[in-house]
Structure formats: structure tokens, C-alpha cells
């Protein structure tokens, strides 16, 4: 993971975090007899000579910079084990040793002065590793590029020699925080540059980059305050006009040892852990910085934002009926093993993962596995466990590996221990003395509300429960633990039942308006020889009229009389009913007011009997107080009135509303409204004459009547809470 962090974003053919492996070979005793180092103008060649073809795993590492070669079931000859091979060119040195006390797995560390690409090939006589030189560096730079170690008191470091290839610039700034508290800062540059490291004010350090430009989108602080690291902040500063160097100010939590080195594409700084704990995470940062493992923070090459990335935890889909799914996040490796001792395989995986492995002594077997494509090491780990019927248990920071039978047996022993412990507790309970308590119930029914719950918690074969209905009291005999549990249950159940006052208003409004207009005409002739009368009678039922008497019409003997009559009636009636009732929570309440109207009903034989019709106002409601002090109600309201009597039998005008609703305490809500409008118009007149435009109004009458009925129902519930009293 460290190698992948250091060189992420590199182009070309460089291998980042690469692990090479050998082909399958017979499992025979292998011994490394010698190590040779040769140099050509373009490459550095390391030959690891042996008496047989080697099984190997190679891992590139960043600190110290180099390649580690693991060789399972391989021994080292005495001359190889006791020697440190001096390097040349871009290879610093070569060291061979064992990774385990049993000396079954050999390890060859090839330390580098520069980050070199390499290739591995396997022959019958051993391994050949070819390192390709960096072409941009001159020979002096190759000699000066060794890792420089600095103490906190050191002021400067001698920069490496180089030949500049035009203007240089910073192309990336990376920060990595490891689990052990160590931290690394990698400043990626477009080419090797000259630099100085100076001690600033307090605990601060200042990295000067001569002739280097820092783009504006990279001149943003890199805040690492909340990591478990000695580095709190990294501030890039672009050089101003006339200055020779840009700077990176590194704010330190405290002075700690650090190391600095330049590779072919940047400058690498490593800081030891800090003894001062970081401040606690702010809630806003928890969504960005998460997980308990190493965390990598970087300036993205094409973005101005600061990104934080943490290794994902293994997640499992534990849906019943489906196989467990895992997300593997370990460093990817390639392996080729043939009948390799499984313990050596675990040692290699331990070295790659950096975790602590503890392997049971009965874990035995060999592993044959060939992986052409890189896969995460934790996936390889699970695969090896499954192939050999092994399991793992995380115990603190240690991963314990044991056989499935061993783990199953230990799990059974744990279950047996738990069962035995429970049996011991039950035995102790069976010997506890019994206690009798008399517990009064204030607001609930001891028989129906409390007793069914207490019966479920009684000690089997020992607890006894009875109820005294006259005093509403619980009589309980049991051990003290059960008595206390019963009292706690009663305290939660025996609560004052809230009461609810329900107020209703029924508003009924009746409005009517009628208007009529008509004319009464009469024509008559009276003389000695003849007489006649002509009457057009279209008056209206009215006490108001206006008459005209024409004794003679144009000098004739005809007499004309006209009477104009009109009527207008208005009515407005308002009825308000206000029923109100108080009831307990969840209890139905009903209030009713009215009268019984008596009438006679005759049968077929001519007999009669007296019957009654109810004319009443009814309010029926069942309220419930919710936990958030709102009131749910089921409401029925009926408002009946006498409409008319036909042949002695009354007819009723009925208004009714039934609903369920939820209301805030003390709020008023309209639960129903009915509006009824009735409009009627009638015209009468003399045939023919009444149809004459305009003049036809003189030979008829008009009548208009409008009626409007409105009904509104209002409900206001209010909680009435009594004080809770304890016995």
C-alpha cells in the first residue's frame, strides 16, 4: 500500500507495489549459494544463485527504498548469510537473512538509491533481477542520491546533484499516515530538483525547492491535524518574482526524527510517530476521515480539492439464505507456489500485510496455488484458509489461525461454559428466600390490566400471584429480584389515565326571501239596455295594493279599474347547539338532548295507537391521547328537527356527521359543513296577452323564492391531566 501511495499517478512502465512470482517447481531443498551484482550502461543485474529453481515472491517497498524477495523453504549458505553485498550505481546494498526463527524462509533485500523498474526471471540456477536505470540522471546524481537521515536538530541537507531539464514544477503533494503513527510526505516533481530542508520557527520545517514553480491550484493548505501523525499542516507557497525557491512549510506537532530522500520523480520525507495525541475529530470531519486503518490524503492532479481516502473495512452481506459476500481491500499480489509449507505461506502474507499472525501448532499442510493476475492479499489469505479447512479469529491486534475443528471445539466449550454458568445462576435462584409483597394498584384494574403481565415474569414453580378485587391489590410471593422487577413493571403500567373534555358547537342558519308582483284588471259597462263585465284577475297574496279607477274611457260608457299588488318577505333563523362532555382516555362518551313527538298511527282495522319520534341532539365520541399529547377521536353528531306534519304524522329534518380525526390539544377544528340553496320562480298570465313583449307584464304575475340552509359542526378537545400520586 505504501508503494502504491508513493508512486500513484506515475506514467510509463514503472511497476508500483508489484509482486513477482516464480513458476511452479518441485518442492525440494533449495539453497542460495551466492549473490552477484553486475552493471551495464542501461541496467543493473542482480543474480541470486542457487542449487535449484527457486520459489519466490518479490515486493517493492518505499522505505527503505528497495525490493524484498521472499524465498519459502529456502536456506542460505554461510557465506551468503554472513555477508552484506556492497552496491554500485543506483543499487545501495544487498542483504540476505531469514524471516523466521526456524530459518525456513529466506529474504533478500535489495536497497536502492533510486526508484527503478525491474524484471525477474527464473532459471534452474536461481533468479535474475534486471533493474533499468533512470535515463534523466547523470552519473554524479546517481552517486549522490542515497537516502539522507536527519535528526530534529539538523538544519539543512545537501541536495543531490543533477542536470536540470528546463523549468520544473510540482505535479502532486501526497500525505500518508500509517497505523503505527509514522507518516510520509511525497512531493512529486516534473524532474529532479535541487532542494534544502531548514528548521523554521518552533517545531516547523521548511522545504525549499530551487527553480521550481507550484501551480496556483496546488497552493492550498493540506490539513492533517486530526491524524495520529507528527505532521499537522503542509502549506505550499509559490515563489514570488525575483525569488529563487518555492517552499513547503511543514507544521509539526512536536520535534521527531525524520528522513528525506529524492527519487527520480520527487522528494520523499518520512517522520517518526508523535507522542502527542491528536485532538478529537469534529463531527463535520467524521464523514471525510473514517476507519481505523491507514489514511491517505492527496491533492488530486486534476482537481483543486483535498481528498481523503481510507481503506475500506471488509463488509459482509448477512442476508439469510445467501452466501456471505466480502469486499477485499488488501494490496494486490501474484503468487506461484507448489507444495509449499503452509506456515511459510502465512509468513509471506504476514510480511505483505503487516499484521500479527499467530498460527496454532496443529496447522499443517502444503499449498499449491498459481495466480496469474494480481488479487488482494486478504483474498489469497481467505482462499488458503478454505483450501486447508482452517479458520481465523481476530483477538485484539493478533490474527489467530487454527483448524476449523479446533475453533468449533473452542466455540462448543464456550457454549458449555455459558450453559453451566446459567445453570449455576438458576441453582442459586432456586435457593434464594421467598418474599411476599402487597402492591396496591391505583388507576388500573389489578385483575385485567396488571395481572397478565406479572404472570409472565414469575419464577417457575416458585412464584405465586393473586389479586384482591375489593382493594384492587396485587399479592406477590417470589424472590427479591422478581419482586423488584414486578414493582418496576407496575410503576410503568399504573399511570393516571388522562381525561378529555369534548366541546362541540352545531351552528344551523336558515335564510329565505320571496318576492311577487301582479295586476288585477276589470272592465264594465252599465246602462239601461245592456251590461257586461270583463275581469283579468292576477293579483298576489299581499296586504299592499295600488288601485286606479277610470270611470270613462275616451268618453264611452266603459269603466276601467286596475289594481297593482306586490309582496316581499325575508326570513333569517340561526340555531346554535353546544353539547359538552368529559370522558377518560379510550372510553366512549355520549350526551343527548331532545324530545319525543307523539302522534297517532292507525291500523287496517281502524284502530289507532300512540307512537313517538325522537327529535334530539346527540354527541357520541371515543377519544385517545397519543404519546405526543395529541388527541385522536371517533365522533358521531346527530341534530334532528321537526320539519312538517302530514296527516298527523311528523317528518324530521336530519343532520348527521360521523368521522375519525386527530387534533392538537386545545385546538378547534371544523369536522363538517353542509350548505343547501333552493331557488324557485313562477309566472302566471292571460293567454296570448301575457306573451306580448313589455306589455305582457301588465297581463300576468311573477313570483320568486330563495331559501338557504347552512350547517357547521365545530369540535374542541382538551386534555385534563390529574397529578400522579405514589403509594
Amino acid at each position: 500500500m505504501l508503494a502504491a501511495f508513493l508512486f500513484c499517478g506515475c506514467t510509463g512502465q514503472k511497476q508500483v507495489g508489484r509482486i513477482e512470482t516464480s513458476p511452479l517447481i518441485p518442492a525440494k531443498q533449495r539453497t542460495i549459494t551466492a549473490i552477484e551484482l553486475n552493471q551495464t550502461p542501461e541496467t543493473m543485474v542482480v543474480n541470486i544463485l542457487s542449487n535449484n529453481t527457486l520459489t519466490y515472491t518479490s515486493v517493492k517497498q518505499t522505505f527503505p527504498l528497495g525490493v524484498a524477495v521472499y524465498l519459502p523453504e529456502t536456506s542460505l549458505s554461510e557465506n551468503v548469510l554472513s555477508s552484506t553485498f556492497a552496491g554500485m550505481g543506483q543499487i545501495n546494498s544487498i542483504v540476505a537473512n531469514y524471516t523466521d526463527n526456524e530459518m525456513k524462509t529466506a529474504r533478500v533485500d535489495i536497497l536502492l538509491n533510486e526508484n527503478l523498474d525491474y524484471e525477474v526471471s527464473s532459471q534452474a540456477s536461481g533468479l535474475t533481477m534486471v533493474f533499468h536505470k533512470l535515463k534523466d540522471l547523470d552519473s554524479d546524481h546517481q552517486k549522490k542520491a542515497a537516502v539522507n537521515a536527519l535528526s530534529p536538530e539538523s538544519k539543512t541537507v545537501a541536495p543531490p546533484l543533477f542536470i536540470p531539464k528546463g523549468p520544473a514544477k510540482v505535479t502532486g503533494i501526497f500525505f500518508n499516515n500509517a497505523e503505527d503513527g509514522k507518516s510520509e510526505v511525497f512531493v512529486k516533481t516534473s524532474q529532479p530538483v535541487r532542494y534544502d530542508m531548514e528548521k523554521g520557527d518552533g517545531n516547523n520545517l521548511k522545504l525549499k525547492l530551487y527553480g521550481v514553480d507550484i501551480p496556483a491550484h496546488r497552493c492550498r493548505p493540506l490539513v492533517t491535524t486530526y491524524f495520529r501523525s507528527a505532521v499537522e499542516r503542509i502549506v505550499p507557497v509559490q515563489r514570488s518574482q525575483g525569488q529563487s525557491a518555492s517552499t513547503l512549510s511543514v507544521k509539526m506537532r512536536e520535534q521527531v526524527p525524520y528522513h528525506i530522500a529524492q527519487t527520480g520523480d520527487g522528494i520523499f520525507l518520512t517522520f517518526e510517530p508523535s507522542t502527542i495525541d491528536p485532538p478529537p475529530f469534529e463531527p463535520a470531519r467524521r464523514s471525510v476521515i473514517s476507519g481505523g486503518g491507514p489514511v491517505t490524503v492527496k491533492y488530486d492532479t486534476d482537481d483543486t480539492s483535498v481528498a481523503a481516502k481510507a481503506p475500506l473495512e471488509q463488509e459482509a452481506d448477512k442476508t439469510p439464505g445467501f452466501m456471505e459476500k466480502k469486499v477485499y481491500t488488501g494490496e494486490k499480489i501474484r503468487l506461484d507456489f507448489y507444495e509449499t509449507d503452509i506456515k511459510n505461506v502465512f509468513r509471506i502474507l504476514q510480511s505483505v500485510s503487516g499484521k500479527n499472525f499467530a498460527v496454532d501448532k496443529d496447522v499443517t499442510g502444503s499449498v499449491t496455488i498459481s495466480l496469474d493476475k494480481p488479487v488482494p492479499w486478504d483474498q489469497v489469505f481467505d482462499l488458503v484458509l478454505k483450501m486447508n479447512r482452517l479458520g481465523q479469529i481476530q483477538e485484539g491486534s493478533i490474527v489467530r489461525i487454527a483448524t476449523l475443528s479446533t475453533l468449533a471445539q473452542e466455540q462448543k466449550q464456550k457454549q458449555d461454559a455459558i450453559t453451566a454458568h446459567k445453570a449455576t445462576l438458576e441453582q442459586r435462584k432456586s435457593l434464594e428466600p421467598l418474599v411476599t409483597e402487597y402492591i396496591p394498584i391505583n388507576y388500573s384494574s389489578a385483575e385485567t390490566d396488571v395481572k397478565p403481565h406479572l404472570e409472565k415474569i414469575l419464577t417457575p414453580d416458585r412464584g405465586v400471584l393473586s389479586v384482591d378485587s375489593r382493594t384492587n391489590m396485587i399479592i406477590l410471593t417470589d424472590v427479591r429480584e422478581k419482586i423488584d422487577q414486578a414493582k418496576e413493571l407496575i410503576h410503568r403500567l399504573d399511570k393516571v389515565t388522562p381525561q378529555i373534555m369534548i366541546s362541540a358547537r352545531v351552528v344551523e342558519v336558515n335564510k329565505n326571501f320571496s318576492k311577487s308582483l301582479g295586476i288585477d284588471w276589470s272592465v264594465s259597462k252599465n246602462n239601461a239596455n245592456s251590461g257586461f263585465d270583463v275581469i283579468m284577475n292576477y293579483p298576489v297574496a299581499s296586504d299592499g295594493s295600488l288601485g286606479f279607477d277610470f270611470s270613462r274611457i275616451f268618453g264611452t260608457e266603459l269603466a276601467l279599474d286596475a289594481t297593482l299588488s306586490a309582496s316581499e318577505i325575508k326570513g333569517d333563523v340561526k340555531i346554535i347547539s353546544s353539547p359538552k362532555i368529559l370522558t377518560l382516555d379510550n372510553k366512549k362518551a355520549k350526551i343527548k338532548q331532545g324530545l319525543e313527538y307523539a302522534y297517532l298511527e292507525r291500523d287496517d282495522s281502524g284502530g289507532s295507537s300512540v307512537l313517538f319520534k325522537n327529535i334530539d341532539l346527540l354527541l357520541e365520541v371515543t377519544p385517545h391521547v397519543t404519546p405526543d399529547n395529541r388527541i385522536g377521536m371517533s365522533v358521531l353528531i346527530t341534530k334532528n328537527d321537526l320539519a312538517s306534519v302530514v296527516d298527523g304524522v311528523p317528518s324530521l329534518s336530519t343532520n348527521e356527521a360521523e368521522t375519525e380525526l386527530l387534533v392538537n390539544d386545545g385546538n378547534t377544528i371544523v369536522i363538517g359543513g353542509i350548505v343547501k340553496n333552493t331557488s324557485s320562480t313562477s309566472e302566471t298570465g292571460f293567454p296570448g296577452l301575457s306573451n306580448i313583449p313589455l306589455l305582457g307584464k301588465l297581463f300576468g304575475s311573477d313570483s320568486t323564492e330563495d331559501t338557504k340552509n347552512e350547517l357547521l359542526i365545530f369540535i374542541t378537545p382538551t386534555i385534563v391531566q390529574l397529578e400522579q400520586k405514589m403509594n
Side-chain angles (χ1 to χ4, degrees):
M1 291 176 64
L2 188 58
F5 149 74
L6 272 179
F7 305 106
C8 63
C10 296
T11 60
Q13 299 300 320
K14 292 185 178 180
Q15 299 294 325
V16 179
R18 183 182 61 188
I19 294 183
E20 301 285 355
T21 59
S22 68
L24 297 177
I25 60 171
K28 297 180 181 180
Q29 182 61 37
R30 310 174 185 92
T31 301
I32 295 176
T33 57
I35 298 178
E36 297 177 350
L37 176 58
N38 300 309
Q39 182 175 200
T40 69
E42 301 293 336
T43 62
M44 305 293 297
V45 180
V46 177
N47 292 316
I48 302 176
L49 305 178
S50 68
N51 63 347
N52 204 333
T53 305
L54 296 175
T55 296
Y56 71 93
T57 298
S58 65
V59 182
K60 179 178 279 188
Q61 59 190 23
T62 57
F63 192 82
L65 184 60
V67 176
V69 183
Y70 296 90
L71 302 145
E73 298 181 358
T74 303
S75 61
L76 300 171
S77 61
E78 292 185 2
N79 63 314
V80 172
L81 182 60
S82 60
S83 301
T84 298
F85 299 88
M88 65 176 66
Q90 292 166 306
I91 293 182
N92 185 287
S93 60
I94 302 174
V95 180
N97 210 328
Y98 289 104
T99 62
D100 54 343
N101 295 330
E102 295 82 2
M103 295 187 296
K104 292 184 177 181
T105 299
R107 171 173 171 168
V108 177
D109 290 310
I110 304 171
L111 303 181
L112 304 175
N113 294 328
E114 298 292 341
N115 178 33
L116 303 179
D117 188 19
Y118 73 97
E119 297 175 356
V120 185
S121 60
S122 178
Q123 297 89 25
S125 59
L127 298 178
T128 298
M129 304 182 67
V130 179
F131 293 85
H132 300 279
K133 294 180 181 180
L134 295 176
K135 297 181 180 181
D136 293 340
L137 303 180
D138 63 357
S139 58
D140 290 334
H141 179 218
Q142 295 172 5
K143 296 177 182 179
K144 296 290 186 178
V147 177
N148 300 299
L150 295 179
S151 66
E153 294 77 16
S154 299
K155 295 281 186 180
T156 62
V157 61
L161 301 177
F162 69 99
I163 299 176
K165 300 286 185 180
K169 65 178 180 179
V170 173
T171 59
I173 302 174
F174 304 89
F175 171 82
N176 184 64
N177 180 220
E179 290 184 356
D180 58 1
K182 291 184 179 181
S183 51
E184 297 91 10
V185 176
F186 181 60
V187 183
K188 183 176 175 59
T189 57
S190 59
Q191 65 183 38
V193 300
R194 187 167 63 90
Y195 65 89
D196 283 331
M197 178 69 88
E198 296 180 355
K199 189 173 184 298
D201 300 334
N203 296 329
N204 297 338
L205 297 174
K206 185 176 291 186
L207 176 63
K208 288 188 174 182
L209 304 172
Y210 294 96
V212 178
D213 292 325
I214 303 178
H217 67 273
R218 302 203 182 280
C219 293
R220 299 180 58 186
L222 196 65
V223 180
T224 59
T225 305
Y226 296 95
F227 295 108
R228 192 164 62 92
S229 166
V231 179
E232 287 194 331
R233 184 185 295 264
I234 304 169
V235 182
V237 179
Q238 163 65 9
R239 58 176 177 167
S240 59
Q241 188 175 5
Q243 289 185 336
S244 61
S246 299
T247 60
L248 258 75
S249 296
V250 183
K251 182 180 179 181
M252 307 294 297
R253 183 168 287 125
E254 64 172 327
Q255 292 186 5
V256 298
Y258 64 91
H259 306 274
I260 185 169
Q262 187 174 52
T263 64
D265 53 0
I267 299 172
F268 180 55
L269 297 94
T270 303
F271 298 89
E272 294 298 316
S274 173
T275 59
I276 302 175
D277 292 332
F281 285 116
E282 296 178 1
R285 295 181 181 269
R286 290 186 184 273
S287 60
V288 177
I289 304 171
S290 62
V295 180
T296 300
V297 179
K298 71 175 182 178
Y299 280 129
D300 188 73
T301 304
D302 299 322
D303 195 357
T304 61
S305 62
V306 178
K309 185 177 78 172
L312 299 174
E313 299 292 336
Q314 287 188 354
E315 299 178 356
D317 181 5
K318 299 184 179 295
T319 305
F322 291 89
M323 296 182 63
E324 182 179 293
K325 277 186 179 178
K326 277 192 176 181
V327 177
Y328 296 102
T329 59
E331 183 179 351
K332 292 187 177 182
I333 62 175
R334 291 198 298 262
L335 294 175
D336 258 336
F337 290 140
Y338 179 75
E339 295 185 2
T340 303
D341 190 339
I342 192 170
K343 291 184 178 179
N344 289 334
V345 175
F346 286 142
R347 288 191 184 94
I348 293 174
L349 293 177
Q350 178 183 1
S351 299
V352 174
S353 66
K355 294 183 176 293
N356 298 319
F357 283 7
V359 184
D360 282 13
K361 62 180 180 180
D362 57 346
V363 174
T364 58
S366 60
V367 175
T368 298
I369 184 172
S370 177
L371 302 175
D372 293 333
K373 295 182 180 180
V375 296
W377 73 263
D378 46 354
Q379 185 175 3
V380 176
F381 182 55
D382 278 357
L383 181 60
V384 173
L385 293 178
K386 291 177 182 178
M387 291 169 58
N388 294 270
R389 298 189 59 78
L390 301 175
Q392 61 165 315
I393 295 179
Q394 185 80 28
E395 298 179 356
S397 61
I398 300 175
V399 178
R400 181 190 167 208
I401 302 171
T403 62
L404 292 178
S405 58
T406 299
L407 296 178
Q409 184 178 1
E410 291 178 356
Q411 184 67 23
K412 184 177 183 302
Q413 290 174 353
K414 289 181 181 180
Q415 290 296 119
D416 292 342
I418 294 173
T419 303
H421 181 65
K422 288 182 178 180
T424 302
L425 293 179
E426 293 295 332
Q427 186 177 9
R428 289 180 182 176
K429 289 182 180 180
S430 65
L431 299 177
E432 287 187 38
L434 297 177
V435 180
T436 300
E437 289 276 353
Y438 301 88
I439 308 173
I441 307 300
N442 293 328
Y443 310 106
S444 306
S445 170
E447 181 68 34
T448 60
D449 297 335
V450 180
K451 181 180 177 182
H453 298 285
L454 296 182
E455 289 176 338
K456 297 177 182 179
I457 66 173
L458 295 178
T459 302
D461 302 327
R462 299 197 74 194
V464 179
L465 173 66
S466 61
V467 174
D468 181 61
S469 301
R470 186 179 65 85
T471 59
N472 201 36
M473 182 177 292
I474 296 289
I475 303 171
L476 180 61
T477 300
D478 211 324
V479 298
R480 172 51 58 187
E481 180 185 357
K482 295 297 184 179
I483 294 292
D484 294 341
Q485 189 176 349
K487 286 184 175 180
E488 175 65 22
L489 182 59
I490 291 173
H491 173 70
R492 295 181 178 275
L493 295 179
D494 191 25
K495 297 289 186 180
V496 174
T497 303
Q499 302 179 94
I500 300 93
M501 175 67 72
I502 310 295
S503 301
R505 283 180 175 268
V506 181
V507 180
E508 186 176 359
V509 179
N510 296 321
K511 295 182 179 181
N512 59 75
F513 173 78
S514 62
K515 179 178 68 175
S516 58
L517 178 67
I519 298 179
D520 181 13
W521 292 96
S522 65
V523 179
S524 63
K525 178 182 178 183
N526 293 313
N527 57 28
N529 299 320
S530 64
F532 67 89
D533 292 316
V534 178
I535 299 175
M536 292 185 207
N537 235 343
Y538 295 101
V540 297
S542 171
D543 293 333
S545 62
L546 178 65
F548 298 93
D549 185 6
F550 303 95
S551 298
R552 297 285 182 220
I553 299 179
F554 304 116
T556 64
E557 296 180 352
L558 298 177
L560 176 64
D561 295 321
T563 303
L564 174 66
S565 59
S567 173
E568 184 174 289
I569 302 174
K570 292 184 179 180
D572 192 349
V573 180
K574 182 182 291 185
I575 302 173
I576 300 178
S577 303
S578 301
K580 183 182 295 186
I581 192 169
L582 179 69
T583 182
L584 289 174
D585 185 26
N586 289 321
K587 298 294 183 181
K588 180 187 287 189
K590 182 170 68 173
I591 187 171
K592 183 177 181 181
Q593 181 187 26
L595 58 87
E596 291 184 343
Y597 187 90
Y599 64 96
L600 292 176
E601 184 181 63
R602 298 184 181 277
D603 54 22
D604 296 338
S605 60
S608 62
S609 59
V610 179
L611 299 179
F612 295 91
K613 279 196 174 182
N614 293 324
I615 304 173
D616 50 37
L617 171 66
L618 171 66
L619 170 63
E620 185 175 288
V621 59
T622 303
H624 169 63
V625 179
T626 63
D628 58 352
N629 280 338
R630 294 182 178 181
I631 304 167
M633 294 181 293
S634 176
V635 181
L636 172 63
I637 292 181
T638 300
K639 175 70 169 64
N640 295 333
D641 287 309
L642 182 64
S644 60
V645 179
V646 180
D647 295 333
V649 179
S651 61
L652 300 182
S653 173
T654 302
N655 296 300
E656 182 176 295
E658 182 175 7
T659 184
E660 293 185 3
L661 64 157
L662 183 66
V663 189
N664 289 328
D665 180 24
N667 284 9
T668 300
I669 188 170
V670 180
I671 68 169
I674 300 174
V675 178
K676 180 180 179 182
N677 290 321
T678 303
S679 179
S680 62
T681 302
S682 62
E683 295 182 0
T684 58
F686 191 84
L689 295 179
S690 63
N691 296 328
I692 300 174
L694 299 178
L695 294 178
K697 296 292 184 181
L698 301 176
F699 302 98
S701 64
D702 297 331
S703 178
T704 302
E705 183 175 355
D706 292 323
T707 303
K708 183 177 182 180
N709 300 95
E710 295 184 24
L711 177 67
L712 296 175
I713 302 173
F714 301 86
I715 290 288
T716 304
T718 304
I719 299 175
V720 180
Q721 183 69 56
L722 298 179
E723 180 185 359
Q724 177 83 26
K725 293 185 178 181
M726 303 298 296
N727 292 321

